Amino acid sequence: MAKQRDPVIDSMRGIGIVLMVLGHSGFRGTDFIYLFHMALFFMLSGWLFSLRGGPVHFIKRKAVTLWLPFVLANTAFTVLNNLFLKLNILTSDERILQVPGNAVTTPVTAKDVIGRTVHWCVFDGGTQLGGAMWFIQALFQVSILYALVEFILQRLLHGADTLLPQGLFSGVLLWVGWRCRLAGWNVWGLGIAASCYCLFYLGVVLHRVQHPHGPARGALCCAGAFVVLLVLGQFGSVGLAGNSYPGPLYLLAASLAGWMLVYEGAHLLARVPAVSGAFSALGRATMPIVILHFLAFKPVTWLGLLATGGENYLLAAFPIYFTGGAWWVAYTAAGLALPLLAYAVWVRLKKAVRRG
């Protein structure tokens, strides 16, 4: 029997994925969003953590749901590299280097595809269009390590509570992640994984202490968390993709405040089924949105270049070209709607194959 999904957790995922796309769309509140939006996903995974079935079953499940999509998506983007060059989705035109944050792309051979796929299999690098998948890599690494540590602790403690030793271990890894950040070391994303292990652990702890929520208390908690994040934003910023944050306590404070904001907000949204249902649908399509939203931005840039007479190579500007005004609205709408459409088609195809 399939495990029943929690609509509030799906709604939280949906809120998180909207924030992620907003953060890449040129939205003016990006610095605020970055304080907590990716930490939220690590904490949600910790909230849902279960070693039921044993570590081998857990690792197999994570290999299918995280490692395999990472490898397949990056390989697909590599296979399509030359086509993307012809369509100007990627470019070898060196003028693109004048646009901050961009790089020149060269054609690939079959040998390149095979070689790079081997690298994707061990999380060595990634593609430009799959840039958001650093999170999938980090979540896989953190999840597997947490499960193995949990299994060992359960054996050593003979069934006693593992929360305290896991907390001590997560504190050590947070310190290691912070030292990696100071040293600029992040081979295979292990610096990010060390920093984010504590966020996964926080999710486990929060699941233990969950309690009922009333609308008045929820609204008050949301407001308080929002103010805390505004204040924290005056003293620093968070960029987990680069293992960047002002300090361990800052990361923990921002992550917990962000969790409170989204968690209480999702419970409030549950009182409006239509809105909650929309966010839940987005939450169930998190993976395709993570993988495809950068590519989904391209039609918006293409239409903008047609309207403004911009040169074709600018379509390759990453992740977006047009900023200011309401461009972020168009980019966000495309970044959510097009992956959702692709996901809906994929689900229908799978159902058709099963019926066949």
Side-chain angles (χ1 to χ4, degrees):
M1 182 181 294
K3 184 178 179 180
Q4 187 174 1
R5 299 185 71 104
D6 184 337
V8 171
I9 295 300
D10 278 339
S11 185
M12 290 179 70
R13 278 203 188 100
I15 294 170
I17 206 67
V18 170
L19 291 174
M20 185 201 72
V21 177
L22 272 174
H24 293 150
S25 71
F27 179 58
R28 290 184 180 180
T30 294
D31 289 343
F32 177 85
I33 290 171
Y34 270 44
L35 288 172
F36 65 92
H37 77 306
M38 295 315 294
L40 174 69
F41 285 107
F42 287 101
M43 296 166 79
L44 280 168
S45 294
W47 177 283
L48 296 169
F49 173 75
S50 173
L51 205 54
R52 190 172 302 165
V56 174
H57 173 74
F58 182 89
I59 291 171
K60 286 180 179 178
R61 182 155 48 88
K62 293 302 175 184
V64 171
T65 59
L66 294 173
W67 177 82
L68 190 60
F70 179 90
V71 174
L72 291 179
N74 276 307
T75 299
F77 285 139
T78 306
V79 170
L80 295 171
N81 182 89
N82 295 349
L83 175 61
F84 286 157
L85 281 169
K86 291 180 180 179
L87 297 175
N88 293 302
I89 291 173
L90 300 172
T91 186
S92 57
D93 193 322
E94 293 190 356
R95 289 178 294 173
I96 199 67
L97 298 176
Q98 299 172 15
V99 182
N102 280 269
V104 169
T105 302
T106 56
V108 299
T109 64
K111 182 179 178 180
D112 292 328
V113 173
I114 296 170
R116 293 182 189 182
T117 298
V118 172
H119 284 275
W120 311 152
C121 287
V122 294
F123 295 124
D124 183 16
T127 54
Q128 184 190 69
L129 290 171
M133 288 189 285
W134 69 267
F135 160 72
I136 299 173
Q137 170 182 338
L139 183 57
F140 179 81
Q141 292 167 331
V142 169
S143 300
I144 298 303
L145 180 58
Y146 194 96
L148 292 175
V149 172
E150 182 70 12
F151 177 72
I152 293 170
L153 288 174
Q154 287 180 3
R155 289 296 184 91
L156 291 175
L157 300 177
H158 304 290
D161 195 355
T162 62
L163 206 60
L164 179 58
Q166 276 280 21
L168 294 173
F169 184 66
S170 71
V172 171
L173 281 188
L174 179 55
W175 179 82
V176 170
W178 170 241
R179 299 304 300 178
C180 290
R181 177 253 188 276
L182 294 178
W185 186 90
N186 192 39
V187 176
W188 287 310
L190 294 176
I192 297 173
S195 294
C196 294
Y197 189 95
C198 68
L199 303 177
F200 191 98
Y201 171 74
L202 283 178
V204 175
V205 174
L206 289 166
H207 192 220
R208 292 271 195 102
V209 300
Q210 62 176 310
H211 43 76
H213 303 269
R217 178 184 176 278
L220 184 62
C221 288
C222 273
F226 184 78
V227 170
V228 169
L229 288 166
L230 285 178
V231 172
L232 287 173
Q234 303 303 308
F235 297 97
S237 60
V238 175
L240 287 180
N243 196 29
S244 174
Y245 49 94
L249 292 179
Y250 185 99
L251 176 63
L252 294 175
S255 301
L256 285 169
W259 172 273
M260 183 66 69
L261 177 65
V262 177
Y263 182 71
E264 299 291 357
H267 278 85
L268 291 173
L269 286 176
R271 305 174 71 85
V272 187
V275 177
S276 179
F279 278 112
S280 293
L282 288 168
R284 291 190 292 272
T286 296
M287 185 63 75
I289 294 174
V290 169
I291 292 171
L292 295 173
H293 74 283
F294 282 146
L295 184 59
F297 286 163
K298 297 303 181 181
V300 176
T301 299
W302 177 69
L303 290 172
L305 291 173
L306 282 181
T308 60
E311 295 197 58
N312 290 338
Y313 79 93
L314 292 172
L315 178 60
F318 179 83
I320 60 172
Y321 178 67
F322 295 100
T323 58
W327 281 104
W328 65 270
V329 177
Y331 279 119
T332 301
L336 294 171
L338 295 180
L340 271 178
L341 178 61
Y343 179 62
V345 171
W346 170 249
V347 170
R348 287 197 174 191
L349 284 174
K350 283 205 303 182
K351 288 182 178 178
V353 169
R354 286 172 182 170
R355 285 196 299 268

